[in-house]
Amino acid sequence: MTADICVMVPTIRNHECMRSYFQNARDHGFDLDRLFVVLITEDFCDTDAMEQMLDEEGVDGTVYDGTDREAWFETHGASEYSHLIPEASHAQTSFGLLYMWANDYEYGVFIDDDTLPHEDADFFGTHMSNLAFEGEIETVSSDEQWVNVLYQNEDEHGLYPRGYPYAAMDETVSTEATQVDDVVASQGLWTNVPDLDAVRILMDGDLQGQAQTRTSGADFGDDFVAAEGQYLTVCSMNLAFRREVIPAFYQLPMDDNEWDVGRFDDIWSGVFLKRACDVLGKQIYNGDPLCEHNKAPRSTFSDLTNEVHGLELNEHVWEIVDEAGADADSYGEVFDAIATAMADGDFSDWENGAFLNYCGEFMLDWLECLDELDAAATEQVPATADD
């Protein structure tokens, strides 16, 4: 079978985690020939060991460190867009999106290297089933226009995930059954270490960046979608999606910027994607397959340093997004409207508001880069001779 799923893994510490995902596929009868794995790493990492792991597992894939990424842009005639991928940042997952776009994979999967699949669930198969889902499912909304993806046991654990606006807490949740027929993203949630921001981890009494409160399978009920006009946090540690969303799914240039804003790349990209889904009549599926999140101990204050410069912006980004692109007919058009609003807006009333202008410019460059890759691919296709 020809590979139709591009699996993208940002890793500098634990590429070996992928062996568990491959074994999970074997255990559940999922065809590994469907996968092409892109390990996204740094020049200081052992790329030979990563390539050897893929060879030993018999899984097709490739490894890209910083030097390799620069060469890839040059080969594709897109060197002027190499700045889109920040150095030493989780947002390097955007390189995986460009690779996937240039190679026409139908599906993408993001996996973080501090996760493991649950043995009793078919990880890849469940994601693919979610993307193909048509039928009745629970839809969730709140009076704050935000859905806490941990809402199902919130009364017990009180957790709100990283990126959930503080102003939207203490919401009143409503649920009802709805019919869905066009799922474009599948967000698997997580057990063990919850994905919280540093402020919430400190409030949970943990100085090692992990949180004292942990989640288990019992904290999650039926799968669900967020209602139209409602936003939710989208974490890229366990996420599958269709190729079509890539124009509206850029992982923003975090960490490597003059404002030192970090840790909101997947959060804000999820807000963009949800807006595009609402405009175009698509859905983001949430719930299974769960993964086990084994975040390594690190200073909570270090995470706080990376997050604090963007905390105020995170309270407002979704409001900008919610007013953009209503008449758009494609992911690219929705994203262009959001990017233009951010690039041209006056956000001087907010701390580090100029960072949003900076992001808007990068977002416009993202769309140009995709167009450049499309043009390069067209040029490489030999013309058919006239009869």
Side-chain angles (χ1 to χ4, degrees), residues 18 31 37 56-58 76 91 99 125 141 197 200 250 336 371:
M18 291 307 299
D31 189 354
V37 179
E56 290 173 355
E57 292 290 332
H76 288 78
Y99 187 94
S141 61
D197 67 27
R200 291 180 170 110
Y250 175 48
D336 182 79
D371 287 343

Side-chain angles (χ1 to χ4, degrees), residues 172-341:
T172 299
V173 177
S174 300
T175 64
E176 62 180 351
T178 191
Q179 292 286 324
V180 303
D181 58 9
D182 206 342
V183 175
V184 295
S186 166
Q187 176 174 210
L189 301 176
W190 8 263
T191 60
N192 195 27
V193 181
D195 182 33
L196 311 183
D197 67 27
V199 174
R200 291 180 170 110
I201 292 173
L202 288 173
M203 294 298 292
D204 198 45
D206 191 294
L207 302 183
Q208 298 300 311
Q210 295 181 308
Q212 295 293 312
T213 302
R214 301 299 171 93
T215 55
S216 70
D219 289 306
F220 303 97
D222 293 336
D223 298 342
F224 63 93
V225 298
E228 182 178 333
Q230 298 277 316
Y231 291 90
L232 75 166
T233 56
V234 175
C235 172
S236 65
M237 77 169 76
N238 173 12
L239 186 75
F241 49 90
R242 295 182 180 275
R243 181 181 187 274
E244 66 190 66
V245 310
I246 290 176
F249 204 40
Y250 175 48
Q251 313 289 292
L252 292 170
M254 297 287 158
D255 305 301
D256 183 22
N257 59 76
E258 66 180 270
W259 300 269
D260 294 325
V261 177
R263 302 259 298 160
F264 292 101
D265 49 309
D266 51 351
I267 300 301
W268 292 356
S269 73
V271 172
F272 305 152
L273 178 59
K274 183 55 165 67
R275 176 59 175 168
C277 286
D278 288 349
V279 170
L280 301 174
K282 315 290 185 174
Q283 291 90 27
I284 300 173
Y285 189 110
N286 305 276
D288 288 330
L290 301 176
C291 73
E292 180 182 309
H293 183 209
N294 301 308
K295 184 180 178 183
R298 65 188 187 216
S299 169
T300 307
F301 294 101
S302 177
D303 277 353
L304 180 62
T305 298
N306 291 329
E307 295 168 0
V308 69
H309 305 289
L311 284 176
E312 183 178 12
L313 299 179
N314 187 60
E315 297 292 314
H316 301 288
V317 165
W318 72 274
E319 297 169 338
I320 302 167
V321 172
D322 195 51
E323 296 181 354
D327 298 326
D329 294 321
S330 68
Y331 292 96
E333 287 184 12
V334 176
F335 198 68
D336 182 79
I338 298 170
T340 300

Side-chain angles (χ1 to χ4, degrees), residues 79-90:
S79 293
E80 65 182 295
Y81 299 107
S82 63
H83 65 283
L84 289 169
I85 313 302
E87 296 181 4
S89 170
H90 185 270

